[in-house]
PDB file of all heavy atoms in Angstrom:
ATOM      1  N   HIS I  52       9.089  14.407  29.660  1.00  0.00           N
ATOM      2  CA  HIS I  52       8.760  13.029  29.411  1.00  0.00           C
ATOM      3  C   HIS I  52       9.206  12.625  28.070  1.00  0.00           C
ATOM      4  O   HIS I  52       8.388  12.734  27.071  1.00  0.00           O
ATOM      5  CB  HIS I  52       7.288  12.779  29.602  1.00  0.00           C
ATOM      6  CG  HIS I  52       6.820  13.166  30.948  1.00  0.00           C
ATOM      7  ND1 HIS I  52       6.524  14.475  31.295  1.00  0.00           N
ATOM      8  CD2 HIS I  52       6.555  12.440  32.036  1.00  0.00           C
ATOM      9  CE1 HIS I  52       6.118  14.554  32.524  1.00  0.00           C
ATOM     10  NE2 HIS I  52       6.122  13.315  33.006  1.00  0.00           N
ATOM     11  N   GLY I  54      10.057   9.497  26.953  1.00  0.00           N
ATOM     12  CA  GLY I  54       9.755   8.112  26.596  1.00  0.00           C
ATOM     13  C   GLY I  54       8.579   7.920  25.730  1.00  0.00           C
ATOM     14  O   GLY I  54       8.627   7.222  24.688  1.00  0.00           O
ATOM     15  N   MET I  55       7.479   8.589  26.059  1.00  0.00           N
ATOM     16  CA  MET I  55       6.252   8.454  25.330  1.00  0.00           C
ATOM     17  C   MET I  55       6.400   8.957  23.866  1.00  0.00           C
ATOM     18  O   MET I  55       6.065   8.244  22.915  1.00  0.00           O
ATOM     19  CB  MET I  55       5.072   9.120  26.069  1.00  0.00           C
ATOM     20  CG  MET I  55       3.739   8.921  25.501  1.00  0.00           C
ATOM     21  SD  MET I  55       3.416  10.104  24.238  1.00  0.00           S
ATOM     22  CE  MET I  55       1.915   9.530  23.616  1.00  0.00           C
ATOM     23  N   ALA I  90      -2.611  11.235  26.612  1.00  0.00           N
ATOM     24  CA  ALA I  90      -1.404  11.028  27.424  1.00  0.00           C
ATOM     25  C   ALA I  90      -0.542  12.313  27.397  1.00  0.00           C
ATOM     26  O   ALA I  90       0.489  12.418  26.764  1.00  0.00           O
ATOM     27  CB  ALA I  90      -0.590   9.844  26.898  1.00  0.00           C
ATOM     28  N   HIS I  92       1.353  13.919  29.200  1.00  0.00           N
ATOM     29  CA  HIS I  92       2.789  14.086  29.583  1.00  0.00           C
ATOM     30  C   HIS I  92       3.710  13.909  28.389  1.00  0.00           C
ATOM     31  O   HIS I  92       4.828  14.427  28.424  1.00  0.00           O
ATOM     32  CB  HIS I  92       3.143  13.012  30.678  1.00  0.00           C
ATOM     33  CG  HIS I  92       2.890  11.611  30.300  1.00  0.00           C
ATOM     34  ND1 HIS I  92       1.646  11.055  30.298  1.00  0.00           N
ATOM     35  CD2 HIS I  92       3.713  10.656  29.832  1.00  0.00           C
ATOM     36  CE1 HIS I  92       1.758   9.769  29.904  1.00  0.00           C
ATOM     37  NE2 HIS I  92       2.989   9.503  29.597  1.00  0.00           N
ATOM     38  N   HIS I 127       2.506  20.324  30.019  1.00  0.00           N
ATOM     39  CA  HIS I 127       1.467  19.509  29.401  1.00  0.00           C
ATOM     40  C   HIS I 127       0.733  20.423  28.424  1.00  0.00           C
ATOM     41  O   HIS I 127       0.696  21.623  28.604  1.00  0.00           O
ATOM     42  CB  HIS I 127       0.512  18.986  30.481  1.00  0.00           C
ATOM     43  CG  HIS I 127       1.166  18.003  31.444  1.00  0.00           C
ATOM     44  ND1 HIS I 127       1.866  18.389  32.479  1.00  0.00           N
ATOM     45  CD2 HIS I 127       1.214  16.672  31.376  1.00  0.00           C
ATOM     46  CE1 HIS I 127       2.361  17.327  33.060  1.00  0.00           C
ATOM     47  NE2 HIS I 127       1.968  16.236  32.432  1.00  0.00           N
ATOM     48  N   GLY I 141      -3.234  16.032  30.520  1.00  0.00           N
ATOM     49  CA  GLY I 141      -2.278  15.875  31.579  1.00  0.00           C
ATOM     50  C   GLY I 141      -2.882  15.066  32.703  1.00  0.00           C
ATOM     51  O   GLY I 141      -2.362  14.004  33.061  1.00  0.00           O
ATOM     52  N   PRO I 142      -4.059  15.496  33.227  1.00  0.00           N
ATOM     53  CA  PRO I 142      -4.797  14.642  34.121  1.00  0.00           C
ATOM     54  C   PRO I 142      -5.256  13.436  33.310  1.00  0.00           C
ATOM     55  O   PRO I 142      -6.075  13.562  32.415  1.00  0.00           O
ATOM     56  CB  PRO I 142      -5.925  15.512  34.598  1.00  0.00           C
ATOM     57  CG  PRO I 142      -5.478  16.933  34.321  1.00  0.00           C
ATOM     58  CD  PRO I 142      -4.666  16.852  33.074  1.00  0.00           C
ATOM     59  N   LEU I 143      -4.686  12.293  33.590  1.00  0.00           N
ATOM     60  CA  LEU I 143      -4.859  11.139  32.706  1.00  0.00           C
ATOM     61  C   LEU I 143      -6.312  10.760  32.527  1.00  0.00           C
ATOM     62  O   LEU I 143      -7.110  10.828  33.536  1.00  0.00           O
ATOM     63  CB  LEU I 143      -4.041   9.962  33.241  1.00  0.00           C
ATOM     64  CG  LEU I 143      -2.522  10.191  33.221  1.00  0.00           C
ATOM     65  CD1 LEU I 143      -1.798   9.120  33.984  1.00  0.00           C
ATOM     66  CD2 LEU I 143      -1.981  10.336  31.785  1.00  0.00           C
ATOM     67  N   GLY I 144      -6.656  10.378  31.335  1.00  0.00           N
ATOM     68  CA  GLY I 144      -8.000   9.938  31.000  1.00  0.00           C
ATOM     69  C   GLY I 144      -8.906  11.006  30.560  1.00  0.00           C
ATOM     70  O   GLY I 144      -9.887  10.715  29.844  1.00  0.00           O
ATOM     71  N   ALA I 177      -3.850   7.469  23.770  1.00  0.00           N
ATOM     72  CA  ALA I 177      -4.008   7.287  25.194  1.00  0.00           C
ATOM     73  C   ALA I 177      -2.931   6.233  25.649  1.00  0.00           C
ATOM     74  O   ALA I 177      -2.630   5.301  24.898  1.00  0.00           O
ATOM     75  CB  ALA I 177      -5.371   6.759  25.562  1.00  0.00           C
ATOM     76  N   GLY I 178      -2.467   6.374  26.867  1.00  0.00           N
ATOM     77  CA  GLY I 178      -1.490   5.437  27.359  1.00  0.00           C
ATOM     78  C   GLY I 178      -2.082   4.522  28.385  1.00  0.00           C
ATOM     79  O   GLY I 178      -3.288   4.469  28.630  1.00  0.00           O
ATOM     80  N   ASP I 179      -1.220   3.731  29.009  1.00  0.00           N
ATOM     81  CA  ASP I 179      -1.674   2.723  30.011  1.00  0.00           C
ATOM     82  C   ASP I 179      -2.422   3.521  31.141  1.00  0.00           C
ATOM     83  O   ASP I 179      -3.395   3.067  31.656  1.00  0.00           O
ATOM     84  CB  ASP I 179      -0.465   2.050  30.656  1.00  0.00           C
ATOM     85  CG  ASP I 179       0.321   1.267  29.662  1.00  0.00           C
ATOM     86  OD1 ASP I 179      -0.227   0.240  29.118  1.00  0.00           O
ATOM     87  OD2 ASP I 179       1.500   1.622  29.370  1.00  0.00           O
ATOM     88  N   GLY I 180      -1.809   4.683  31.471  1.00  0.00           N
ATOM     89  CA  GLY I 180      -2.429   5.485  32.550  1.00  0.00           C
ATOM     90  C   GLY I 180      -3.772   5.954  32.254  1.00  0.00           C
ATOM     91  O   GLY I 180      -4.713   5.802  33.126  1.00  0.00           O
ATOM     92  N   CYS I 181      -4.016   6.442  31.035  1.00  0.00           N
ATOM     93  CA  CYS I 181      -5.359   6.884  30.646  1.00  0.00           C
ATOM     94  C   CYS I 181      -6.400   5.747  30.806  1.00  0.00           C
ATOM     95  O   CYS I 181      -7.493   5.952  31.210  1.00  0.00           O
ATOM     96  CB  CYS I 181      -5.375   7.409  29.185  1.00  0.00           C
ATOM     97  SG  CYS I 181      -4.438   8.928  28.975  1.00  0.00           S
ATOM     98  N   MET I 183      -6.115   3.094  32.657  1.00  0.00           N
ATOM     99  CA  MET I 183      -6.330   2.655  34.040  1.00  0.00           C
ATOM    100  C   MET I 183      -7.300   3.586  34.807  1.00  0.00           C
ATOM    101  O   MET I 183      -7.997   3.143  35.730  1.00  0.00           O
ATOM    102  CB  MET I 183      -5.013   2.628  34.800  1.00  0.00           C
ATOM    103  CG  MET I 183      -4.177   1.368  34.585  1.00  0.00           C
ATOM    104  SD  MET I 183      -2.789   1.229  35.740  1.00  0.00           S
ATOM    105  CE  MET I 183      -1.441   1.852  34.710  1.00  0.00           C
ATOM    106  N   GLU I 184      -7.365   4.817  34.395  1.00  0.00           N
ATOM    107  CA  GLU I 184      -8.251   5.829  35.058  1.00  0.00           C
ATOM    108  C   GLU I 184      -9.720   5.380  34.854  1.00  0.00           C
ATOM    109  O   GLU I 184     -10.098   5.073  33.741  1.00  0.00           O
ATOM    110  CB  GLU I 184      -8.061   7.240  34.512  1.00  0.00           C
ATOM    111  CG  GLU I 184      -6.722   7.843  34.921  1.00  0.00           C
ATOM    112  CD  GLU I 184      -6.640   8.206  36.430  1.00  0.00           C
ATOM    113  OE1 GLU I 184      -7.674   8.058  37.114  1.00  0.00           O
ATOM    114  OE2 GLU I 184      -5.540   8.532  36.916  1.00  0.00           O
ATOM    115  N   ASP I 207      -1.149   3.527  23.386  1.00  0.00           N
ATOM    116  CA  ASP I 207       0.273   3.386  23.452  1.00  0.00           C
ATOM    117  C   ASP I 207       0.561   2.237  24.409  1.00  0.00           C
ATOM    118  O   ASP I 207       0.760   2.420  25.622  1.00  0.00           O
ATOM    119  CB  ASP I 207       0.913   4.663  24.006  1.00  0.00           C
ATOM    120  CG  ASP I 207       2.436   4.549  24.125  1.00  0.00           C
ATOM    121  OD1 ASP I 207       3.006   3.633  23.573  1.00  0.00           O
ATOM    122  OD2 ASP I 207       3.000   5.443  24.791  1.00  0.00           O
ATOM    123  N   ASN I 209       2.695   0.221  25.880  1.00  0.00           N
ATOM    124  CA  ASN I 209       4.096  -0.046  26.123  1.00  0.00           C
ATOM    125  C   ASN I 209       4.325  -0.774  27.422  1.00  0.00           C
ATOM    126  O   ASN I 209       5.496  -1.116  27.766  1.00  0.00           O
ATOM    127  CB  ASN I 209       4.926   1.282  26.112  1.00  0.00           C
ATOM    128  CG  ASN I 209       4.467   2.294  27.159  1.00  0.00           C
ATOM    129  OD1 ASN I 209       3.801   1.965  28.125  1.00  0.00           O
ATOM    130  ND2 ASN I 209       4.820   3.545  26.917  1.00  0.00           N
ATOM    131  N   GLY I 210       3.253  -1.065  28.158  1.00  0.00           N
ATOM    132  CA  GLY I 210       3.416  -1.866  29.360  1.00  0.00           C
ATOM    133  C   GLY I 210       4.234  -1.252  30.415  1.00  0.00           C
ATOM    134  O   GLY I 210       4.695  -1.954  31.404  1.00  0.00           O
ATOM    135  N   ILE I 211       4.445   0.051  30.361  1.00  0.00           N
ATOM    136  CA  ILE I 211       5.250   0.757  31.362  1.00  0.00           C
ATOM    137  C   ILE I 211       4.523   1.985  31.840  1.00  0.00           C
ATOM    138  O   ILE I 211       3.869   2.699  31.049  1.00  0.00           O
ATOM    139  CB  ILE I 211       6.626   1.227  30.751  1.00  0.00           C
ATOM    140  CG1 ILE I 211       7.469   0.051  30.368  1.00  0.00           C
ATOM    141  CG2 ILE I 211       7.356   2.178  31.675  1.00  0.00           C
ATOM    142  CD1 ILE I 211       8.173  -0.655  31.536  1.00  0.00           C
ATOM    143  N   SER I 212       4.544   2.203  33.145  1.00  0.00           N
ATOM    144  CA  SER I 212       4.114   3.491  33.703  1.00  0.00           C
ATOM    145  C   SER I 212       5.179   3.895  34.718  1.00  0.00           C
ATOM    146  O   SER I 212       6.266   3.394  34.668  1.00  0.00           O
ATOM    147  CB  SER I 212       2.693   3.438  34.251  1.00  0.00           C
ATOM    148  OG  SER I 212       2.609   2.506  35.361  1.00  0.00           O
ATOM    149  N   ILE I 213       4.882   4.837  35.585  1.00  0.00           N
ATOM    150  CA  ILE I 213       5.968   5.406  36.428  1.00  0.00           C
ATOM    151  C   ILE I 213       6.609   4.415  37.354  1.00  0.00           C
ATOM    152  O   ILE I 213       7.809   4.341  37.462  1.00  0.00           O
ATOM    153  CB  ILE I 213       5.398   6.630  37.212  1.00  0.00           C
ATOM    154  CG1 ILE I 213       5.069   7.765  36.223  1.00  0.00           C
ATOM    155  CG2 ILE I 213       6.443   7.121  38.235  1.00  0.00           C
ATOM    156  CD1 ILE I 213       4.472   9.031  36.900  1.00  0.00           C
ATOM    157  N   THR I 217       3.588  -2.229  33.970  1.00  0.00           N
ATOM    158  CA  THR I 217       2.176  -2.068  34.358  1.00  0.00           C
ATOM    159  C   THR I 217       1.671  -3.379  35.076  1.00  0.00           C
ATOM    160  O   THR I 217       0.662  -3.302  35.730  1.00  0.00           O
ATOM    161  CB  THR I 217       1.284  -1.745  33.146  1.00  0.00           C
ATOM    162  OG1 THR I 217       1.545  -2.682  32.103  1.00  0.00           O
ATOM    163  CG2 THR I 217       1.561  -0.348  32.676  1.00  0.00           C
ATOM    164  N   ILE I 270       8.688   2.063  25.097  1.00  0.00           N
ATOM    165  CA  ILE I 270       8.864   3.424  25.654  1.00  0.00           C
ATOM    166  C   ILE I 270      10.393   3.820  25.497  1.00  0.00           C
ATOM    167  O   ILE I 270      11.264   3.004  25.710  1.00  0.00           O
ATOM    168  CB  ILE I 270       8.384   3.503  27.134  1.00  0.00           C
ATOM    169  CG1 ILE I 270       8.361   4.956  27.596  1.00  0.00           C
ATOM    170  CG2 ILE I 270       9.287   2.656  28.046  1.00  0.00           C
ATOM    171  CD1 ILE I 270       7.627   5.141  28.922  1.00  0.00           C
ATOM    172  N   HIS I 284      10.407   7.427  31.263  1.00  0.00           N
ATOM    173  CA  HIS I 284       9.072   8.001  31.335  1.00  0.00           C
ATOM    174  C   HIS I 284       9.079   9.542  31.569  1.00  0.00           C
ATOM    175  O   HIS I 284       8.514  10.258  30.827  1.00  0.00           O
ATOM    176  CB  HIS I 284       8.183   7.350  32.362  1.00  0.00           C
ATOM    177  CG  HIS I 284       6.984   8.142  32.786  1.00  0.00           C
ATOM    178  ND1 HIS I 284       5.773   7.962  32.116  1.00  0.00           N
ATOM    179  CD2 HIS I 284       6.826   9.186  33.648  1.00  0.00           C
ATOM    180  CE1 HIS I 284       4.918   8.811  32.633  1.00  0.00           C
ATOM    181  NE2 HIS I 284       5.503   9.554  33.530  1.00  0.00           N
TER     182      HIS I 284
HETATM  183  C1  TPP M 730      -5.038  11.680  37.046  1.00  0.00           C
HETATM  184  C2  TPP M 730      -3.581  11.527  37.006  1.00  0.00           C
HETATM  185  N1  TPP M 730      -2.937  10.820  37.913  1.00  0.00           N
HETATM  186  C3  TPP M 730      -1.611  10.695  37.982  1.00  0.00           C
HETATM  187  C4  TPP M 730      -0.847  11.421  37.122  1.00  0.00           C
HETATM  188  C5  TPP M 730       0.698  11.326  37.110  1.00  0.00           C
HETATM  189  N2  TPP M 730       1.181  10.564  36.045  1.00  0.00           N
HETATM  190  C6  TPP M 730       1.641  11.119  34.863  1.00  0.00           C
HETATM  191  S1  TPP M 730       2.043  10.053  33.731  1.00  0.00           S
HETATM  192  C7  TPP M 730       1.758   8.674  34.761  1.00  0.00           C
HETATM  193  C8  TPP M 730       1.914   7.299  34.322  1.00  0.00           C
HETATM  194  C9  TPP M 730       1.290   7.094  33.025  1.00  0.00           C
HETATM  195  O1  TPP M 730       1.619   5.882  32.491  1.00  0.00           O
HETATM  196  P1  TPP M 730       1.412   5.688  30.909  1.00  0.00           P
HETATM  197  O2  TPP M 730       0.197   6.310  30.492  1.00  0.00           O
HETATM  198  O3  TPP M 730       1.665   4.291  30.704  1.00  0.00           O
HETATM  199  O4  TPP M 730       2.609   6.583  30.291  1.00  0.00           O
HETATM  200  P2  TPP M 730       3.983   6.145  29.829  1.00  0.00           P
HETATM  201  O5  TPP M 730       4.844   5.869  31.088  1.00  0.00           O
HETATM  202  O6  TPP M 730       3.866   4.885  29.041  1.00  0.00           O
HETATM  203  O7  TPP M 730       4.506   7.291  29.049  1.00  0.00           O
HETATM  204  C10 TPP M 730       1.219   9.191  35.993  1.00  0.00           C
HETATM  205  C11 TPP M 730       0.855   8.299  37.112  1.00  0.00           C
HETATM  206  C12 TPP M 730      -1.539  12.252  36.105  1.00  0.00           C
HETATM  207  N3  TPP M 730      -0.882  12.878  35.233  1.00  0.00           N
HETATM  208  N4  TPP M 730      -2.829  12.242  36.089  1.00  0.00           N
END
Side-chain angles (χ1 to χ4, degrees):
H52 303 78
M55 186 274 175
H92 59 280
H127 294 83
L143 295 170
D179 300 295
C181 291
M183 278 191 260
E184 289 292 351
D207 180 16
N209 61 19
I211 293 286
S212 63
I213 292 178
T217 50
I270 190 168
H284 164 91

